[in-house]
Amino acid sequence: MKNFRRFLFSAVAIIAMSISATAQFSIGPRVGINVNSMHFDSDLFKSENRAGFTGGLQAEFMIPMVGFGFDASVMYVHRVNNATIDTNGTATAPQIKDKDYIEIPVNLKYKIGLPVIGKIITPYVFTGPSFAFLTSRKAINEAWKNKSTSVAWNFGFGVQLLGHLQVGASYGIGMTKAFEKIGAVEGVDIQGKNRYWTVTAAYLF
């Protein structure tokens, strides 16, 4: 048993060193646009898509032999919300609110190797959580406030071109509240979560 444990430890160490030797690490700038829409738990609100922008730095760690790896980014995100409040059947003017975040998405990524053209174009898929930290003001007005942190889950796909340029799109589903009402409207506690499309391009060195 003791010899077996030594053998197992040696085998794991050899595999780990082999993976470390062949693993690829890259880093570079990432920019793009996001289209945000709020999801409310009340029929009093209607939301329209609004475009914002994002930019930051992305790092990637891949294991070429199996095509799996992960990426992580630190991004500045500017989101615009357009929500129409409907009380007693009368809609008010749209309430447009800008919000700024520092967002950290962390994704498990799988690159699909293609024969012959793999060095030119490589499709990939990814998924993972995203953690957003509010940097703009928390209070919207006397009745509403933004949450200081929010969590979403992203699902996405993209292509890598010429080994460096990555163009991807993802859809984020808010898992926690992005803002909430202070008090209630007609006795109803209203909450909203972010839902958004993001399209970005990253150049990794």
Side-chain angles (χ1 to χ4, degrees):
M1 181 63 69
K2 189 174 182 179
N3 290 334
F4 176 75
R5 287 199 299 265
R6 287 178 178 175
F7 170 77
L8 184 61
F9 177 79
S10 299
V12 171
I14 292 172
I15 293 172
M17 287 188 293
S18 299
I19 291 175
S20 298
T22 58
Q24 296 177 345
F25 176 80
S26 52
I27 190 169
R30 180 184 178 193
V31 296
I33 60 171
N34 64 77
V35 180
N36 187 57
S37 178
M38 297 301 301
H39 176 72
F40 296 95
D41 61 356
S42 171
D43 293 335
L44 292 175
F45 283 74
K46 305 299 180 184
S47 180
E48 298 178 5
N49 293 336
R50 287 284 173 171
F53 59 88
T54 182
L57 194 66
Q58 176 179 316
E60 180 185 87
F61 183 88
M62 298 296 300
I63 305 172
M65 294 182 297
V66 295
F68 277 102
F70 68 89
D71 66 39
S73 303
V74 177
M75 308 292 291
Y76 165 75
V77 180
H78 179 76
R79 293 199 178 112
V80 181
N81 299 323
N82 186 356
T84 302
I85 306 173
D86 190 348
T87 55
N88 298 323
T90 303
T92 66
Q95 306 296 306
I96 300 175
K97 301 296 179 183
D98 295 4
K99 292 186 291 185
D100 300 313
Y101 293 93
I102 296 297
E103 192 166 54
I104 304 176
V106 181
N107 296 303
L108 177 66
K109 179 180 284 186
Y110 176 64
K111 293 185 178 180
I112 305 169
L114 299 177
V116 183
I117 62 171
K119 291 185 177 181
I120 300 175
I121 181 170
T122 302
Y124 61 85
V125 293
F126 60 93
T127 186
S130 183
F131 308 93
F133 304 91
L134 185 71
T135 59
S136 55
R137 61 180 297 180
K138 190 172 183 179
I140 299 174
N141 52 42
E142 68 279 359
W144 294 90
K145 68 176 181 179
N146 292 311
K147 301 292 287 184
S148 58
T149 60
S150 60
V151 180
W153 195 275
N154 295 324
F155 301 88
F157 61 92
V159 292
Q160 178 173 288
L161 304 173
L162 301 176
H164 294 282
L165 179 63
Q166 293 186 2
V167 180
S170 64
Y171 184 68
I173 301 174
M175 300 175 66
T176 61
K177 294 182 292 184
F179 68 86
E180 62 184 349
K181 191 177 189 310
I182 304 171
V185 174
E186 297 183 349
V188 179
D189 183 23
I190 298 171
Q191 302 173 1
K193 297 179 180 179
N194 281 320
R195 294 204 177 170
Y196 51 86
W197 280 98
T198 304
V199 180
T200 61
Y203 193 88
L204 304 182
F205 299 91

